[in-house]
Amino acid sequence: MTTTPIVALQRPKDISFGEIEAELSKIWLSQSGGKAGPVAARAATFSMVVYEPEEFQQLLAGLGFYDGPIDGIHGPKTKDAVKAAQKAYDLRVTGRIDPETLTRLREELAKLPKEQHQLANLNTRGFSISDAIGSQNPSRIITLCPLIGEEDKGVTAQVSAYCPIQKSSSSTLVCSEYITLQGTKEALERVSDIVTALMIPDLPKFVWWKATPNPEQHLFKVLAAASNCIIVDSCYFTDPESELLKMQELMEQETYIADLNWHRLSAWQELTAAVFDPPERRAALGEVDRVTIDYEKGNAAQALMFLGWLASRLGWEPVSYAEEGGIYEIKRIKFNCANQRPIEAELAAIPTADWGEIPGDMIGLLLASTNPNANCFTILCSETTGCMRMEAGGIAQNSRTEQVTPLTDQKAESLMSQQLQRWGRDMLYEESLAVTAKILKLR
């Protein structure tokens, strides 16, 4: 993936909270008047608030497993620290933060007196932004960085300005302003109204909530009310079943939600639709009454949203939900279709040796029928993992089997860049999430 070079008009500069607008104005004033080279112009595209707790790195640092920067980058050093913590606390060693690991880290840090916390060397949150997002020319990015285990001393501020250099650009650099606010969670709550006032008026306003959303949290409420769109990533939800219900409740309250994890399903949705494009297959689609979805153990959000999408497209009404547990943490959901024919779905969490960066990625999909003569049997497999469990079911030779090629880059920053270009309401997502919520309310 190509990157966009970024040039700094001003490196991050510490200022008092009340000097933010004045300092930013000084940056632009310094760019005017008779300078050689490209002219720096102030972007006027959109404003974005990024709530960036990066809690797991702070917890690892506080417990002495990590001494690197708090930057939200899950690189080799962070992965090694996660593994060390998982070994120390007798957890499943994956090198990835799952809900069980995060809960245990919180518990262990809470046991320590604050004076024993081992703070990380460098907090770099908000000092840079992904070039995939920066190249969209946001007018202003405000990053909120909650600090864990520190005394509440109010909120500190830094400002900076950066310009992506486009290969085909003219003599003008279109530059963005960066404001970074740091303080305890309580301190940031107190300045929530000031944060919204810093968003540029009369431009689209986005909030990227890089944490489990809490609709009861004052800061979340204020930002949701002030923005055109709250952007989340359900692959990192601590309790996906509960959090997806919260997302639906926000939708019902006219809060527009976009989930980056939803976009990771597009390759599965497109291939599922494509295998039923031929007329003879399309006619057999109504025979599907057995669905099996395998996903990486650790987060069921993708599997639940995909099932919600499939049911919403085929007009299935959920009637029961049961959890069997076991090694695969089996979930069974039953539906009725328009003619009251029963449909059964199984969601299985598959333990995998090769953990990817995205918790809960879909691995396989099996569409089948109790009618042995139906022409609807389909197996879709992940390109990286395959679906041996499904192919061992005895119907592989009678099924149409396809391999799903995922998007080239499914990391949050790349998906965010795409989301910023299509921020209107996604009715397909809303309809699918509504059915997913119906399923979850049967628990």
Side-chain angles (χ1 to χ4, degrees):
M1 181 177 174
T2 58
T3 59
T4 304
I6 303 268
V7 62
L9 291 186
Q10 176 177 291
R11 296 293 180 185
K13 178 179 178 181
D14 292 338
I15 58 171
S16 67
F17 200 65
E19 296 175 326
I20 293 174
E21 293 289 3
E23 183 62 31
L24 290 170
S25 295
K26 281 170 59 178
I27 293 174
W28 301 113
L29 285 172
S30 69
Q31 297 302 308
S32 60
K35 287 195 172 186
V39 175
R42 201 172 192 173
T45 312
F46 60 88
S47 294
M48 176 184 286
V49 174
V50 183
Y51 183 72
E52 191 172 8
E54 303 306 347
E55 182 185 11
F56 70 93
Q57 281 184 329
Q58 295 192 70
L59 290 169
L60 290 166
L63 291 165
F65 294 104
Y66 179 70
D67 62 359
I70 307 298
D71 56 8
I73 299 173
H74 200 137
K77 192 167 188 176
T78 301
K79 192 170 184 177
D80 289 344
V82 175
K83 286 182 177 180
Q86 289 170 331
K87 288 178 183 177
Y89 300 132
D90 198 26
L91 299 170
R92 192 161 40 119
V93 179
T94 63
R96 189 174 68 187
I97 290 289
D98 51 46
E100 185 183 9
T101 301
L102 186 58
T103 298
R104 184 62 180 273
L105 293 178
R106 288 168 176 163
E107 291 171 351
E108 294 297 327
L109 191 68
K111 295 176 185 176
L112 291 179
K114 285 189 177 182
E115 58 269 18
Q116 293 184 28
H117 292 184
Q118 301 178 46
L119 299 179
N121 295 331
L122 180 63
N123 190 339
T124 62
R125 288 174 291 171
F127 294 162
S128 64
I129 200 77
S130 164
D131 47 22
I133 299 169
S135 63
Q136 299 299 317
N137 295 324
S139 57
R140 181 174 287 182
I141 292 183
I142 306 159
T143 305
L144 310 181
C145 305
L147 302 175
I148 295 175
E150 295 198 6
E151 185 181 347
D152 188 346
K153 297 180 180 178
V155 176
T156 61
Q158 295 88 26
V159 297
S160 56
Y162 293 93
C163 317
I165 302 174
Q166 305 292 351
K167 291 180 181 178
S168 59
S169 67
S170 62
S171 59
T172 300
L173 296 174
V174 182
C175 307
S176 306
E177 304 170 343
Y178 293 75
I179 302 169
T180 305
L181 304 179
Q182 296 186 29
T184 64
K185 185 177 178 180
E186 294 74 19
L188 291 172
E189 290 276 338
R190 293 196 299 270
V191 301
S192 53
D193 290 330
I194 299 175
V195 173
T196 59
L198 288 170
M199 301 173 82
I200 305 293
D202 303 322
L203 290 177
K205 300 174 179 66
F206 301 98
V207 173
W208 187 7
W209 193 266
K210 297 175 72 174
T212 298
N214 180 6
E216 300 306 313
Q217 184 179 346
H218 177 68
L219 179 62
F220 185 89
K221 284 182 180 178
V222 171
L223 293 177
S227 68
N228 298 98
C229 178
I230 293 277
I231 301 168
V232 299
D233 191 340
S234 61
C235 82
Y236 293 112
F237 284 0
T238 306
D239 181 0
E241 288 83 353
S242 298
E243 310 308 332
L244 289 173
L245 281 173
K246 290 179 183 177
M247 296 302 96
Q248 176 60 22
E249 289 169 7
L250 287 167
M251 288 281 201
E252 291 171 353
Q253 297 164 12
E254 300 299 320
T255 300
Y256 173 46
I257 302 289
D259 185 352
L260 300 180
N261 207 26
W262 164 256
H263 298 306
R264 296 188 180 102
L265 293 174
S266 61
W268 290 90
Q269 293 165 334
E270 289 166 7
L271 188 53
T272 302
V275 296
F276 286 99
D277 269 349
E280 68 277 8
R281 294 277 291 176
R282 198 175 309 160
L285 185 57
E287 296 287 344
V288 172
D289 57 17
R290 295 293 182 270
V291 179
T292 303
I293 299 174
D294 287 355
Y295 61 97
E296 277 190 8
K297 194 169 189 174
N299 186 301
Q302 282 193 22
L304 288 165
M305 288 193 294
F306 185 90
L307 184 59
W309 168 76
L310 188 64
S312 71
R313 297 305 91 195
L314 298 178
W316 298 346
E317 188 68 25
V319 294
S320 71
Y321 180 111
E323 295 181 345
E324 294 184 2
I327 188 173
Y328 294 125
E329 298 175 359
I330 296 293
K331 300 173 176 59
R332 297 195 186 280
I333 300 96
K334 293 184 179 180
F335 302 85
N336 283 334
C337 64
N339 61 7
Q340 298 303 302
R341 187 165 59 92
I343 293 137
E344 297 181 7
E346 174 187 295
L347 307 187
I350 308 300
T352 57
D354 183 19
W355 295 90
E357 286 191 43
I358 309 302
D361 265 340
M362 276 185 61
I363 294 173
L365 170 68
L366 170 64
L367 301 177
S369 176
T370 52
N371 176 5
N373 298 315
N375 182 20
C376 65
F377 292 83
T378 302
I379 296 175
L380 303 185
C381 300
S382 164
E383 187 179 54
T384 54
T385 311
C387 40
M388 292 175 61
R389 196 176 79 93
M390 293 178 175
E391 291 169 347
I395 63 167
Q397 68 270 23
N398 299 320
S399 298
R400 176 167 174 175
T401 301
E402 300 280 354
Q403 199 170 64
V404 178
T405 303
L407 300 175
T408 54
D409 189 344
Q410 293 192 311
K411 293 182 180 179
E413 288 77 10
S414 176
L415 294 172
M416 170 61 76
S417 176
Q418 300 168 35
Q419 177 64 42
L420 293 171
Q421 299 175 52
R422 57 179 181 213
W423 62 276
R425 292 184 66 177
D426 185 341
M427 297 307 297
L428 184 59
Y429 167 64
E430 293 185 20
E431 291 169 5
S432 302
L433 184 62
V435 176
T436 301
K438 284 184 179 181
I439 294 170
L440 293 171
K441 286 176 182 177
L442 295 169
R443 292 171 71 202

